[in-house]
Every structure is written in structure tokens, then in C-alpha cells.
Amino acid sequence: MKKTPFNEIHHALGAKMQEFAGYDMPIEYSGIIDEHNTVVNAVGVFDVSHMGEFWVNGPHAQAFVQKVTSNDVAALPVGKAQYSCLPNDKGGIVDDLLVYHYEPEKFMLVVNAANIEKDWNWCVKNNTEGAELQNASENISQLAIQGPLALKTLQKLTEIDLTTVPYYSFVTGKIADVDNVIISNTGYTGCGGFELYFYPQYAEKIWKAVFEAGAEFGIKPAGLGARDTLRLEAGFPLYGNELDDNTSPLQAGLGWITKFTEGNHFISRPLLEAEKAKGLSKKLIGFEMVGKGIARHGYEIVNADGKIIGVVTSGSLSPFSRKAIGLGYVKPEYAALDTSVFVRIREKDIEAKVVKPPFRKKV
């Protein structure tokens, strides 16, 4: 198994470790619910160094990124990040990702850990523009400092005024006396916060500094278990659950990152335009259980007559509301808000109601 630069720290802290995307990763430390609530109410830290990073350089960089991603990179200024996806040639999704416009002719693509090799091969295969591609995944570490007190925590460690870095924007500067750190106002929790990108040799120094700075705010390390419950409450899709090679971004509710703007000739655009015109065969919904039971990935969704109309992609008990929540795909006629659907749990059809994510409403 691969290890991130924080591996010894996780073990020393007594984290429950498990293989994820080929890495030895922390699943939980003090418990998923405790870590989840810490991030919602204060500040928590996730080791996300297993994620992949590709640099795209040169005069043809923008043309390449515009072609392989569904969002409109032409509308992305330097210093801004953009959520997007890599459409495949069948209208499905190779991966979802973040696109950073780092310099006029330089972009960073941040991809999911489980898809690094797949995504890299896809980018290389489709690089007919002649952009300079570099897979920097092994040479970039990443921490996500998330929660309402993340800004106050990090502000102690930098002279940069972090209040001037808007959501989905980033700066490169000094954190904890370490130069060239990308400080990004992004995250996968729905709780606010920042993601830091830096060279692996500074990992331990930055970790220690962040935890010292956040001590007065009750900062805690958080594992992949809480990361998953937080992203589900926020209604964020997860590749391998809500997103895959056979699901289109339109079906996944990602029409907002699928830009049919003039000049944006991304891969599979004609297929997706045709799908939009024809109508979708399935739609992603959020739901809350009405009856007793927790929906899990792969459970069938049925109608009142017991006929299968879809499948659960993610499900859990919400630590915020204490309600059983989930995401899943259904036939479009069952996707309207407040529609009653049923989840088949151990051969019983338990009622659920279609709701609009996020499931964690801001207080």
C-alpha cells in the first residue's frame, strides 16, 4: 500500500486505518460522528494527499483543458478554481475534478485518488493540442482544513489576508514559514474552509503548525468516514457512487458544469446536447427516509406498487439532523420534490420522500 507523508502521524494518533485507492488511509480517530460535528461546528483537518494533481502548461494548455473538461475554462480567470468533469466519448464521466487556473498558460487539475492512472491515460490519449502534461501526484501533498473556524486557524500562520480569498479562489504564498503553498478556498464538506497544496517534505511542519494554531478552537483530525458523511449531507456527488462511466453529468444534476457555450467544444458535447433535447432516462435525487431504516449503496428504489424505479447510490444517518438520508437515481417521473418513493431494505419497502439537498441547512 502507498502511504501519504502523514502516515506515521495517523498511526501515532491511533487512527483506524484502512486501504483506500491503494493508500493506507485514516477512516476515523475519535469517531465519525464526533469528527463530523467538529467540522460542522469548529475546525477539522483531513489528509487528502492521496488525491491526484496534473499540471497542464504551455500555449495550448487552455485549448486542451477546454476540450477535456465540461465546464467553460475560457470564463475562468487566473486565481480561480472551477468544479468540472472529464466527459468520456460515450457521454459518461471519466472523473469529476477541480480545475485551477494557476498562470495564464498553466492549469492544475485535481482528480480523485482512485482514478489517477485512468485520468492520466485519458488526458494523454486526448492531448492532440500538444499541451505540456505533468503528473505531479507523487510530489504534492494536501491538507483540507475545514469548518467555520478554519479561517481563524490558518490566519495565524500567514500574512495573507484570507478574508480576501473568495470561495473557489486561491493564492500561492507562505503558510507556517513554508513558501509556495497553494491556499485554496475550497472543500468537500459544505462547512467552509481551505485546502492547502505543498511539497511533501513540509508535511509534518505544516501539520504541527495547523494543530497548534487551531488548539484554542478544538481542532481535531478527521478521517475518510466523516469526509463521506459531510459530503453526503452537503449533497455532493462521489465518483463510484453518484458518478461513473455510464452516467452523464446531466443525469447527475451537473448541468451547471456542462456548458454548451459558443466555442466550448468539449468531448461528447453533441451526445450531451442530444440527451438534453430528448430528455433524461434517469435523474439523481436526494431523499429522507419516512419509515424506519437506513438506505445503503446498491439498495433498490421502488414505487408504491413495488416496481423497481431506481437505485440508492449513497445513504447514511445524518449526524446533523439524525434523519436517514440518501442520494439515488430514479426514473424522471419520480424525481419531483415531495414525491413518495420506497427503499427496499431487507425485503421490506420502506417509505422515503424526495427532498432537495443539501440535507444540512445552515443555521
PDB file of all heavy atoms in Angstrom, residues 206-226:
ATOM      1  N   ILE A 206       3.868  21.608   8.540  1.00  0.00           N
ATOM      2  CA  ILE A 206       2.573  22.267   8.353  1.00  0.00           C
ATOM      3  C   ILE A 206       1.517  21.639   9.252  1.00  0.00           C
ATOM      4  O   ILE A 206       0.708  22.348   9.876  1.00  0.00           O
ATOM      5  CB  ILE A 206       2.159  22.234   6.862  1.00  0.00           C
ATOM      6  CG1 ILE A 206       3.069  23.188   6.060  1.00  0.00           C
ATOM      7  CG2 ILE A 206       0.693  22.599   6.672  1.00  0.00           C
ATOM      8  CD1 ILE A 206       2.838  23.197   4.573  1.00  0.00           C
ATOM      9  N   TRP A 207       1.513  20.309   9.355  1.00  0.00           N
ATOM     10  CA  TRP A 207       0.555  19.628  10.242  1.00  0.00           C
ATOM     11  C   TRP A 207       0.666  20.163  11.680  1.00  0.00           C
ATOM     12  O   TRP A 207      -0.332  20.545  12.300  1.00  0.00           O
ATOM     13  CB  TRP A 207       0.803  18.116  10.206  1.00  0.00           C
ATOM     14  CG  TRP A 207      -0.069  17.301  11.121  1.00  0.00           C
ATOM     15  CD1 TRP A 207       0.078  17.133  12.476  1.00  0.00           C
ATOM     16  CD2 TRP A 207      -1.232  16.545  10.770  1.00  0.00           C
ATOM     17  NE1 TRP A 207      -0.912  16.321  12.975  1.00  0.00           N
ATOM     18  CE2 TRP A 207      -1.730  15.936  11.947  1.00  0.00           C
ATOM     19  CE3 TRP A 207      -1.891  16.299   9.562  1.00  0.00           C
ATOM     20  CZ2 TRP A 207      -2.856  15.117  11.958  1.00  0.00           C
ATOM     21  CZ3 TRP A 207      -3.024  15.480   9.561  1.00  0.00           C
ATOM     22  CH2 TRP A 207      -3.493  14.900  10.757  1.00  0.00           C
ATOM     23  N   LYS A 208       1.895  20.191  12.191  1.00  0.00           N
ATOM     24  CA  LYS A 208       2.105  20.653  13.577  1.00  0.00           C
ATOM     25  C   LYS A 208       1.654  22.097  13.764  1.00  0.00           C
ATOM     26  O   LYS A 208       1.003  22.447  14.760  1.00  0.00           O
ATOM     27  CB  LYS A 208       3.585  20.510  13.957  1.00  0.00           C
ATOM     28  CG  LYS A 208       4.006  19.072  14.241  1.00  0.00           C
ATOM     29  CD  LYS A 208       5.477  19.009  14.632  1.00  0.00           C
ATOM     30  CE  LYS A 208       5.887  17.574  14.989  1.00  0.00           C
ATOM     31  NZ  LYS A 208       7.340  17.478  15.270  1.00  0.00           N
ATOM     32  N   ALA A 209       1.984  22.940  12.803  1.00  0.00           N
ATOM     33  CA  ALA A 209       1.624  24.358  12.899  1.00  0.00           C
ATOM     34  C   ALA A 209       0.113  24.555  12.873  1.00  0.00           C
ATOM     35  O   ALA A 209      -0.431  25.363  13.638  1.00  0.00           O
ATOM     36  CB  ALA A 209       2.281  25.134  11.750  1.00  0.00           C
ATOM     37  N   VAL A 210      -0.564  23.820  12.015  1.00  0.00           N
ATOM     38  CA  VAL A 210      -2.020  23.931  11.908  1.00  0.00           C
ATOM     39  C   VAL A 210      -2.685  23.504  13.219  1.00  0.00           C
ATOM     40  O   VAL A 210      -3.607  24.174  13.714  1.00  0.00           O
ATOM     41  CB  VAL A 210      -2.548  23.095  10.723  1.00  0.00           C
ATOM     42  CG1 VAL A 210      -4.073  22.951  10.788  1.00  0.00           C
ATOM     43  CG2 VAL A 210      -2.155  23.725   9.384  1.00  0.00           C
ATOM     44  N   PHE A 211      -2.203  22.408  13.811  1.00  0.00           N
ATOM     45  CA  PHE A 211      -2.827  21.923  15.051  1.00  0.00           C
ATOM     46  C   PHE A 211      -2.508  22.822  16.249  1.00  0.00           C
ATOM     47  O   PHE A 211      -3.353  22.986  17.141  1.00  0.00           O
ATOM     48  CB  PHE A 211      -2.445  20.461  15.304  1.00  0.00           C
ATOM     49  CG  PHE A 211      -3.348  19.512  14.566  1.00  0.00           C
ATOM     50  CD1 PHE A 211      -3.066  19.143  13.261  1.00  0.00           C
ATOM     51  CD2 PHE A 211      -4.510  19.036  15.147  1.00  0.00           C
ATOM     52  CE1 PHE A 211      -3.911  18.306  12.550  1.00  0.00           C
ATOM     53  CE2 PHE A 211      -5.365  18.195  14.456  1.00  0.00           C
ATOM     54  CZ  PHE A 211      -5.065  17.830  13.153  1.00  0.00           C
ATOM     55  N   GLU A 212      -1.346  23.437  16.247  1.00  0.00           N
ATOM     56  CA  GLU A 212      -1.045  24.408  17.303  1.00  0.00           C
ATOM     57  C   GLU A 212      -1.941  25.639  17.159  1.00  0.00           C
ATOM     58  O   GLU A 212      -2.483  26.151  18.144  1.00  0.00           O
ATOM     59  CB  GLU A 212       0.437  24.823  17.237  1.00  0.00           C
ATOM     60  CG  GLU A 212       1.374  23.763  17.794  1.00  0.00           C
ATOM     61  CD  GLU A 212       2.849  24.109  17.560  1.00  0.00           C
ATOM     62  OE1 GLU A 212       3.138  25.285  17.210  1.00  0.00           O
ATOM     63  OE2 GLU A 212       3.698  23.211  17.710  1.00  0.00           O
ATOM     64  N   ALA A 213      -2.113  26.096  15.926  1.00  0.00           N
ATOM     65  CA  ALA A 213      -2.930  27.292  15.675  1.00  0.00           C
ATOM     66  C   ALA A 213      -4.402  27.045  16.007  1.00  0.00           C
ATOM     67  O   ALA A 213      -5.111  27.952  16.450  1.00  0.00           O
ATOM     68  CB  ALA A 213      -2.793  27.722  14.218  1.00  0.00           C
ATOM     69  N   GLY A 214      -4.859  25.815  15.777  1.00  0.00           N
ATOM     70  CA  GLY A 214      -6.273  25.503  15.985  1.00  0.00           C
ATOM     71  C   GLY A 214      -6.615  24.960  17.357  1.00  0.00           C
ATOM     72  O   GLY A 214      -7.791  24.686  17.642  1.00  0.00           O
ATOM     73  N   ALA A 215      -5.614  24.843  18.232  1.00  0.00           N
ATOM     74  CA  ALA A 215      -5.839  24.234  19.550  1.00  0.00           C
ATOM     75  C   ALA A 215      -6.934  24.959  20.329  1.00  0.00           C
ATOM     76  O   ALA A 215      -7.804  24.334  20.946  1.00  0.00           O
ATOM     77  CB  ALA A 215      -4.540  24.215  20.346  1.00  0.00           C
ATOM     78  N   GLU A 216      -6.921  26.281  20.293  1.00  0.00           N
ATOM     79  CA  GLU A 216      -7.917  27.037  21.069  1.00  0.00           C
ATOM     80  C   GLU A 216      -9.329  26.878  20.515  1.00  0.00           C
ATOM     81  O   GLU A 216     -10.312  27.178  21.201  1.00  0.00           O
ATOM     82  CB  GLU A 216      -7.550  28.526  21.121  1.00  0.00           C
ATOM     83  CG  GLU A 216      -7.653  29.248  19.800  1.00  0.00           C
ATOM     84  CD  GLU A 216      -7.525  30.766  19.946  1.00  0.00           C
ATOM     85  OE1 GLU A 216      -8.414  31.370  20.575  1.00  0.00           O
ATOM     86  OE2 GLU A 216      -6.546  31.328  19.418  1.00  0.00           O
ATOM     87  N   PHE A 217      -9.442  26.387  19.277  1.00  0.00           N
ATOM     88  CA  PHE A 217     -10.754  26.211  18.646  1.00  0.00           C
ATOM     89  C   PHE A 217     -11.233  24.760  18.713  1.00  0.00           C
ATOM     90  O   PHE A 217     -12.268  24.405  18.134  1.00  0.00           O
ATOM     91  CB  PHE A 217     -10.707  26.660  17.179  1.00  0.00           C
ATOM     92  CG  PHE A 217     -10.203  28.061  16.995  1.00  0.00           C
ATOM     93  CD1 PHE A 217      -9.101  28.314  16.189  1.00  0.00           C
ATOM     94  CD2 PHE A 217     -10.813  29.129  17.642  1.00  0.00           C
ATOM     95  CE1 PHE A 217      -8.630  29.612  16.013  1.00  0.00           C
ATOM     96  CE2 PHE A 217     -10.347  30.424  17.481  1.00  0.00           C
ATOM     97  CZ  PHE A 217      -9.243  30.668  16.666  1.00  0.00           C
ATOM     98  N   GLY A 218     -10.464  23.897  19.391  1.00  0.00           N
ATOM     99  CA  GLY A 218     -10.864  22.493  19.498  1.00  0.00           C
ATOM    100  C   GLY A 218     -10.622  21.695  18.237  1.00  0.00           C
ATOM    101  O   GLY A 218     -11.331  20.733  17.943  1.00  0.00           O
ATOM    102  N   ILE A 219      -9.578  22.059  17.501  1.00  0.00           N
ATOM    103  CA  ILE A 219      -9.265  21.379  16.236  1.00  0.00           C
ATOM    104  C   ILE A 219      -9.020  19.893  16.453  1.00  0.00           C
ATOM    105  O   ILE A 219      -8.467  19.479  17.472  1.00  0.00           O
ATOM    106  CB  ILE A 219      -8.039  22.047  15.574  1.00  0.00           C
ATOM    107  CG1 ILE A 219      -7.903  21.638  14.106  1.00  0.00           C
ATOM    108  CG2 ILE A 219      -6.751  21.746  16.352  1.00  0.00           C
ATOM    109  CD1 ILE A 219      -6.865  22.463  13.342  1.00  0.00           C
ATOM    110  N   LYS A 220      -9.475  19.071  15.491  1.00  0.00           N
ATOM    111  CA  LYS A 220      -9.253  17.623  15.563  1.00  0.00           C
ATOM    112  C   LYS A 220      -8.943  17.081  14.163  1.00  0.00           C
ATOM    113  O   LYS A 220      -9.411  17.630  13.167  1.00  0.00           O
ATOM    114  CB  LYS A 220     -10.512  16.907  16.076  1.00  0.00           C
ATOM    115  CG  LYS A 220     -10.824  17.149  17.535  1.00  0.00           C
ATOM    116  CD  LYS A 220     -12.068  16.373  17.959  1.00  0.00           C
ATOM    117  CE  LYS A 220     -12.410  16.629  19.418  1.00  0.00           C
ATOM    118  NZ  LYS A 220     -13.646  15.918  19.809  1.00  0.00           N
ATOM    119  N   PRO A 221      -8.174  15.987  14.104  1.00  0.00           N
ATOM    120  CA  PRO A 221      -8.008  15.306  12.817  1.00  0.00           C
ATOM    121  C   PRO A 221      -9.285  14.556  12.485  1.00  0.00           C
ATOM    122  O   PRO A 221      -9.996  14.093  13.381  1.00  0.00           O
ATOM    123  CB  PRO A 221      -6.848  14.340  13.076  1.00  0.00           C
ATOM    124  CG  PRO A 221      -6.912  14.058  14.540  1.00  0.00           C
ATOM    125  CD  PRO A 221      -7.455  15.299  15.193  1.00  0.00           C
ATOM    126  N   ALA A 222      -9.596  14.466  11.200  1.00  0.00           N
ATOM    127  CA  ALA A 222     -10.805  13.766  10.758  1.00  0.00           C
ATOM    128  C   ALA A 222     -10.446  12.789   9.644  1.00  0.00           C
ATOM    129  O   ALA A 222      -9.531  13.040   8.849  1.00  0.00           O
ATOM    130  CB  ALA A 222     -11.851  14.767  10.272  1.00  0.00           C
ATOM    131  N   GLY A 223     -11.163  11.673   9.600  1.00  0.00           N
ATOM    132  CA  GLY A 223     -10.861  10.629   8.630  1.00  0.00           C
ATOM    133  C   GLY A 223     -11.849  10.587   7.466  1.00  0.00           C
ATOM    134  O   GLY A 223     -12.757  11.416   7.359  1.00  0.00           O
ATOM    135  N   LEU A 224     -11.652   9.592   6.618  1.00  0.00           N
ATOM    136  CA  LEU A 224     -12.481   9.480   5.417  1.00  0.00           C
ATOM    137  C   LEU A 224     -13.942   9.157   5.736  1.00  0.00           C
ATOM    138  O   LEU A 224     -14.825   9.447   4.934  1.00  0.00           O
ATOM    139  CB  LEU A 224     -11.903   8.406   4.487  1.00  0.00           C
ATOM    140  CG  LEU A 224     -10.522   8.703   3.894  1.00  0.00           C
ATOM    141  CD1 LEU A 224     -10.100   7.583   2.954  1.00  0.00           C
ATOM    142  CD2 LEU A 224     -10.507  10.040   3.157  1.00  0.00           C
ATOM    143  N   GLY A 225     -14.199   8.585   6.920  1.00  0.00           N
ATOM    144  CA  GLY A 225     -15.581   8.304   7.305  1.00  0.00           C
ATOM    145  C   GLY A 225     -16.383   9.583   7.451  1.00  0.00           C
ATOM    146  O   GLY A 225     -17.476   9.725   6.881  1.00  0.00           O
ATOM    147  N   ALA A 226     -15.837  10.549   8.195  1.00  0.00           N
ATOM    148  CA  ALA A 226     -16.512  11.840   8.368  1.00  0.00           C
ATOM    149  C   ALA A 226     -16.530  12.629   7.070  1.00  0.00           C
ATOM    150  O   ALA A 226     -17.497  13.354   6.784  1.00  0.00           O
ATOM    151  CB  ALA A 226     -15.823  12.647   9.465  1.00  0.00           C
TER     152      ALA A 226
END
